Amino acid sequence: RMSCLGVNEGMGVDYLPRNDFLPLWRFASSPSLASREGDDTVGARRRFLGVTELVCASALRLGARPVAGLGRVEQLKSRFMTFIDMLRDASTRNDSMLCVGLDPEPSRFPGAMKGDASKIYDFCAAIVDATHDLVNSFKPQIAYFAAHRAEDQLEKLMEHMRRVAPHVPVILDAKRGDIGSTAEQYAKEAFERYGADAVTLSPFMGFDSITPYLKYEGKGAFLLCRTSNPGGDDLQAQVLADVPGNPHMFEHVAKLAQGPWNTNGQLGLVVGATRPNEIERVRAVAPTLPLLIPGVGAQGGDAVATVKAARIGGGPIIINSSRAILYAGQGDDFAKAAREAAIATRATLQAAAQS
């Protein structure tokens, strides 16, 4: 992680390391770049601006925040940007609650890609390129990559998203849940190997199973709370007789996440769109937490009812749609079809928010 002190024509750019991860880099001011034989000031300045704009995009991804600045390049102030900061910024910038889930199934790929697992990156990158100005987040599902030995393609995709959409947070959908020592390795995988901004977790093993994730400054974690699958009733809907007020298990998880478990201020909850009445109950005990809501689109969730329920309390809203957007088209124009589906879904969510 880096913190950007400032970028401006004539003043250069300084980066200071966070946690000693990176060495100190200093780019000289634009006039000094003209000192090499054969360089002219105008050409050197253009090269400098190109470099600093690229670095600033990366700095935004890594925590710096833009403010009004001088010259052609915005000055950036030194401020760490948390997952929730990024989420709110992307939601406002793209006027969106939509998250595109990246669940690549080669058997459903279009045209010549169909059935070819080596094209997972190409397919997902095309979707990202077509939709990154329409979403507040992306959510790659790790199992769809691991099942095809495509973890290297996931790493490449994460780098691509950081490059083309540095302001859009990425939630790694992994649903990890294990004892502390193993959780440390899973946290390292999510945040260091893949560079995710947030991760999905199962809270079934208790607080010590999520603590390793909370140690990563500014990183988000979404706890499974009230899921949309039919089997969710088996445990999540059970009444806890030994807990004051006799809440359902999902309500108890929400209360813990809103309160004592939220030690880094970056916890969120996963609540299915097929249960809008229970989204309201979650919001009653966790009004400010981000809600990650899958189930809109192919799973049949009611977008309007979902948004109305999730708006209670004012916490951030992330409404995920995967298959309905990814596989909206089966021709060479699949990315264009995905964009059109994303535009339509975003518009539906916007209309629901205004109703």
Side-chain angles (χ1 to χ4, degrees), residues 274-296:
T274 56
R275 305 178 188 274
N277 61 316
E278 292 180 344
I279 295 175
E280 291 186 13
R281 293 167 67 176
V282 168
R283 273 294 187 224
V285 293
T288 64
L289 295 189
L291 296 186
L292 172 57
I293 307 175
V296 170

Side-chain angles (χ1 to χ4, degrees), residues 118-142:
S118 72
K119 299 297 185 181
I120 285 176
Y121 166 78
D122 294 333
F123 175 79
C124 291
I127 298 293
V128 169
D129 291 345
T131 62
H132 66 79
D133 61 329
L134 303 172
V135 303
N136 69 1
S137 53
F138 287 111
K139 185 175 69 67
Q141 218 304 333
I142 194 169

Side-chain angles (χ1 to χ4, degrees), residues 42 44 65 68-69 79 100 113 119 123 165 205 208 213 263 325 351:
V42 174
R65 191 160 208 167
R79 181 185 185 279
V100 170
M113 289 185 177
K119 299 297 185 181
F123 175 79
M205 293 186 72
D208 59 329
Y213 302 89
T263 58
I325 291 175

